[in-house]
């Protein structure tokens, strides 16, 4: 790194290299001043956010969600901004001393920063206003160039204008070190312009890179680390808070003290004035407030305890005489002090206390003396220059304080927040069904097969593959029994080689026994049994829909919605029927036709593709305790549905009733029984642009949705950064004003494969896919009170 006296105008890479070298050489002092200012700012932001969250937070994997840093809002940003300004100013003083060869005490640099703060605020505000103007100028340029120029030329023109304006604006940052070092004229902006004149590209480019771009990159890195390890978010924020002002100070000092080539004209920094300012901050010239003689500090040299200062009976005539008498009494070995005499002899037994005097017992008095000695030593340590190893160790240790504060609050959880744990799971594919058998663990069925969780959070899973689910068309059918067994059915097409169909469909069925099933179960626990048979779907190939349920004694019940062939111009019709098979091989079966409805099922499959963004079956089958089937068919066009009920298990006189349904058939919905049954989806009054999972368990409705009100990322302390937040709503029966809310982790990409399942005792398991990874989230504890659109329209 060249000395500032010989530092002539150099290229942009050379300036940045010199700044990096300066930051590495002065990292100890820069670390001390940054930690001393930004750690308290981060702590203040954390405390403000914690109390702002109050009862709106969720403890996810040991940390609060939403992040308290985001909940702190404007007050937290003000505290953080103030800490950053002080750290930057003190860092400029430390870096300047390193470049000029004058050691600067970090404590003195911090005091200088506080003195310079009133003069810096107007300059920083002007620069902030100019930055906003840069954004406005960029938006106006984009709007103008898009109209006047071709797309590629417009993009290049906008980018060039943005870079040029940023370089000019960044060159005005030279006013900051000028104010800190007491250099320049009355107008700091004019002085900064004079320093950058003639070398605008290198000066402004270096400042834009080191003061604007580099902190942004650090902030992005900290945000990425925070997403990967949320528990260490505050530690990453503290590290970013130390790195950013250190880099900015090193770049500002390197550019500000840069000399011009010999013989060239132009303004330069006044090095003599800079050296005088730095010399006043050097520990070699600053007086030490700590006395060398411990006795003069009021401390007993023998044991380090504080000496009592009892006034003399005969006061000296003058103040100088009092000081001399006190010093003589403390230092004259031939005259022991009254405190030493009392310590040696103590009060005599039976002595009468003198009136008007208060004597402390010996143990409290000794504790008071030790505390006074500790406070005196701490004060003396703070008064010494912060250049030694203790100051460096204390600065490094303080970086852990914000993280420890957040973890401590989350561990104690003073607001009794709901708790959630998130982890990756191994299953993949669309979630077709979920259930939580009583006394067991959750069961999740995807279009690859069933997955039995061996614990409530699904950390351990027992999985099986399923041909009916993987190959069934157009949509496979599956159901989960109360014991955790899984039955599935899927149409294999009319050209299946497994069975002779004679031009009809072939349907493959499967029954899987849960791993915790009895040893006498068929099939064996944790295994599956398949069967395939000819079917009577009718209509065109692939147009029939299936629904399945497990019947008694190992039987399988399948509901079908098959299009009927009608005359040209007639309205399309669909026949609803229920088929009972004794086993998955369907050696014996019975058919009960429920009735016919007018609906067009082909609208569900335009050109053979499923149009739903998430799995929401058109056909559903429910068997009650008396083995009576209930069949639900939804209109692919939305708004309508048909409910077929049977008075007996044989369905001799079935009844079909048209009921209301959500506007979009792709929305997941649950059937609310009653005198007038109806389908209810989460947020009837709101249009959602993301998949919404819905489930019923216990009293009310559970809805999983997303919210996008996230805080903007801050380079010094990234709070939250993502595409949205998962939110779980519990909608009790009745008014939506009594909705309960649980904030869940942030999303980093697009949301897919959303599902949820609830247990009978208040636990909820959420599963979803985000950025190519599948997660399971176990939610326990009572949700927080809140109101939200996800429960609108739900009245139980």
């Amino acid at each position: 790194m060249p000395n500032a006296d010989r530092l002539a105008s150099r290229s942009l890479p050379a300036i940045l290299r010199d700044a990096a070298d300066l930051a590495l050489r002065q990292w100890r002092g820069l670390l001390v001043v940054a930690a001393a200012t930004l750690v308290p700012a981060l702590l203040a932001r954390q405390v403000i956010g914690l109390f702002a969250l109050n009862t709106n937070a969720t403890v996810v994997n040991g940390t609060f969600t939403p992040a308290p840093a985001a909940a702190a809002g404007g007050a937290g940003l003000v505290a953080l901004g103030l800490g950053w300004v002080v750290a930057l100013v003190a860092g400029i003083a430390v870096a300047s001393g390193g470049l000029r060869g004058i050691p600067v005490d970090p404590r003195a640099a911090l005091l200088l920063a506080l003195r310079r703060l009133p003069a810096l605020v107007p300059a920083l505000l002007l620069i902030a206003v100019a930055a906003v103007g840069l954004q406005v100028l960029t938006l106006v340029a984009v709007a103008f160039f898009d109209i006047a120029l071709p797309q590629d030329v417009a993009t290049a023109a906008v980018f060039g204008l943005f870079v040029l304006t940023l370089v000019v604006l960044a060159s005005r940052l030279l006013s900051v070190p000028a104010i800190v070092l007491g250099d320049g004229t009355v107008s700091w902006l004019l002085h900064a312009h004079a320093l950058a004149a003639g070398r605008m590209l290198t000066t402004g480019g270096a400042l834009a890179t080191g003061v604007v771009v580099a902190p942004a990159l650090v902030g992005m890195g900290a945000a990425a680390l925070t997403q990967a390890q949320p528990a260490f978010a505050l530690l990453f924020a503290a590290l970013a808070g130390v790195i950013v002002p250190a880099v900015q100070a090193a770049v500002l000092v390197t550019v500000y003290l840069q000399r011009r080539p010999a013989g060239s004209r132009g303004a330069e920094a006044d090095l003599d004035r800079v050296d005088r300012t730095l010399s006043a901050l050097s520990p070699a010239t600053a007086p030490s407030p700590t006395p060398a003689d411990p006795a003069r500090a009021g401390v007993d040299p023998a044991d380090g305890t504080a000496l009592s200062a009892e006034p003399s009976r005969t006061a000296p005539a003058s103040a100088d005489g009092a000081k001399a008498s006190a010093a003589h009494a403390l230092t004259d070995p031939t005259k022991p002090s009254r405190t030493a005499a009392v310590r040696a002899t103590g009060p005599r037994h039976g002595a009468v206390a003198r009136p008007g005097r208060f004597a402390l017992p010996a143990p409290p008095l000794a504790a008071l003396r030790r505390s006074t000695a500790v406070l005196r030593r701490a004060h003396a340590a703070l008064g010494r220059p912060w250049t030694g190893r203790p100051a460096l160790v204390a600065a490094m240790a303080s970086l852990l304080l914000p993280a420890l504060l957040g973890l401590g609050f989350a561990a104690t959880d003073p607001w009794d927040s709901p708790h959630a744990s998130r982890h990756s799971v191994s299953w993949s594919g669309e979630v077709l069904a979920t259930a939580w058998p009583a006394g067991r663990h959750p069961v999740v069925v995807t279009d690859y097969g069933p997955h039995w969780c061996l614990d409530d959070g699904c950390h351990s899973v027992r999985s099986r593959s399923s041909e009916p689910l993987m190959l069934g068309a157009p949509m496979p059918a599956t159901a989960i029994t109360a014991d955790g067994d899984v039955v599935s059915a899927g149409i294999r097409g009319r050209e299946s080689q497994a069975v002779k169909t004679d031009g009809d469909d072939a349907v493959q069925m499967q029954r899987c026994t849960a791993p915790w099933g009895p040893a006498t179960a068929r099939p064996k626990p944790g295994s599956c049994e398949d069967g395939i048979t000819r079917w009577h779907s009718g209509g065109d190939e692939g147009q029939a829909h299936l629904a399945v349920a497990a019947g008694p004694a190992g039987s399988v019940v399948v509901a079908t919605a098959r299009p009927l062939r009608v005359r040209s111009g007639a309205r399309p019709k669909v026949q609803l029927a229920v088929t009972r098979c004794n086993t998955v091989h369907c050696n014996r079966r019975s058919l009960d036709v429920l009735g016919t409805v007018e609906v067009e099922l082909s609208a569900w499959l335009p050109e053979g593709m499923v149009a739903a963004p998430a799995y929401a079956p058109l056909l559903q089958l429910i068997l009650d305790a008396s083995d009576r089937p209930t069949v639900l068919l939804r209109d692919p066009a939305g708004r309508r549905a048909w409910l077929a009920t049977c008075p007996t298990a044989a369905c001799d006189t079935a009844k079909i009733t048209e009921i209301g349904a959500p506007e979009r058939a792709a929305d997941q919905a649950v059937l609310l029984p009653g005198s007038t049954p109806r389908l209810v989806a989460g947020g009837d009054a709101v249009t959602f642009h993301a998949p919404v999972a819905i489930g019923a368990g216990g009293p009310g409705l559970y809805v999983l949705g997303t919210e996008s009100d996230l805080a903007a990322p801050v380079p010094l302390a990234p709070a939250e950064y993502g595409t949205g937040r998962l939110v779980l709503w519990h909608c009790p029966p009745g008014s939506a004003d009594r909705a309960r809310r649980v904030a869940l982790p942030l999303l980093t990409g697009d949301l897919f494969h959303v599902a949820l399942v609830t247990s009978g005792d208040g636990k909820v398991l959420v599963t979803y896919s985000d950025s190519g990874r599948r997660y399971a989230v176990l939610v326990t504890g009572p949700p927080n009170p809140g109101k939200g659109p996800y429960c609108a329209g739900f009245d139980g």
Side-chain angles (χ1 to χ4, degrees), residues 706-708 710 721-725 746-751 770-771:
T706 57
E707 292 181 355
S708 58
L710 301 178
Y721 181 73
T723 59
R725 177 186 301 286
L746 293 174
L747 300 171
T748 57
D750 295 329
L751 180 65
D770 177 23
S771 299

Side-chain angles (χ1 to χ4, degrees), residues 17-45:
R17 185 171 60 251
D18 294 339
D21 187 38
L22 176 62
L24 293 176
R25 288 175 178 270
Q26 300 297 317
W27 70 272
R28 292 176 176 83
L30 295 174
L31 171 64
V32 170
V33 296
T37 54
L38 284 169
V39 168
L42 291 173
L43 288 173
R45 190 186 190 198

Side-chain angles (χ1 to χ4, degrees), residues 50 53-59 64-66 413 415-419 741-743 784:
L50 287 171
L53 283 176
N54 199 354
T55 59
N56 296 320
T58 305
V59 181
F64 279 115
T65 297
D413 190 14
W415 298 289
D416 194 21
S417 304
H419 287 244
R741 178 181 184 272
V742 179
N784 295 314

Side-chain angles (χ1 to χ4, degrees), residues 164-306:
L164 181 60
T165 308
L166 178 62
V167 167
V168 175
L169 179 62
S171 66
R172 271 44 185 176
L173 291 172
L174 290 175
S175 59
V176 176
I179 296 174
V180 174
L181 301 175
D183 184 32
T185 58
V186 177
S187 177
W188 305 112
L189 292 178
L190 292 178
H191 179 57
H193 175 74
L195 292 175
R199 48 185 180 183
M200 183 67 68
L201 292 180
T202 57
T203 299
L207 294 176
T209 304
V211 182
V212 180
V213 177
L217 295 178
V218 172
M220 293 172 61
L225 292 175
T226 299
Q227 293 294 331
Q229 297 292 336
F232 299 98
L234 291 175
L235 179 59
F236 299 146
L239 292 175
V242 171
I243 294 174
V244 167
V247 173
Q248 292 175 325
V251 174
L252 283 169
V253 168
T254 302
V255 176
Y256 182 78
L257 297 180
Q258 185 183 22
R259 316 309 294 165
R260 292 182 181 271
S264 62
R265 297 181 179 179
E268 294 179 339
D270 189 344
L271 296 183
D272 294 335
R273 182 178 295 181
V274 170
D275 290 346
R276 286 194 297 270
T277 302
L278 298 176
S279 298
L281 308 178
S282 177
T285 58
S288 176
T290 305
D293 187 1
R296 295 182 182 275
V299 180
D300 192 338
D303 57 1
T305 58

Side-chain angles (χ1 to χ4, degrees), residues 372-389:
T372 305
V374 170
L375 292 176
R376 288 181 181 275
R377 286 195 294 267
H379 181 268
L382 291 176
R384 289 193 295 267
W386 294 2
T387 55
R389 182 175 298 177

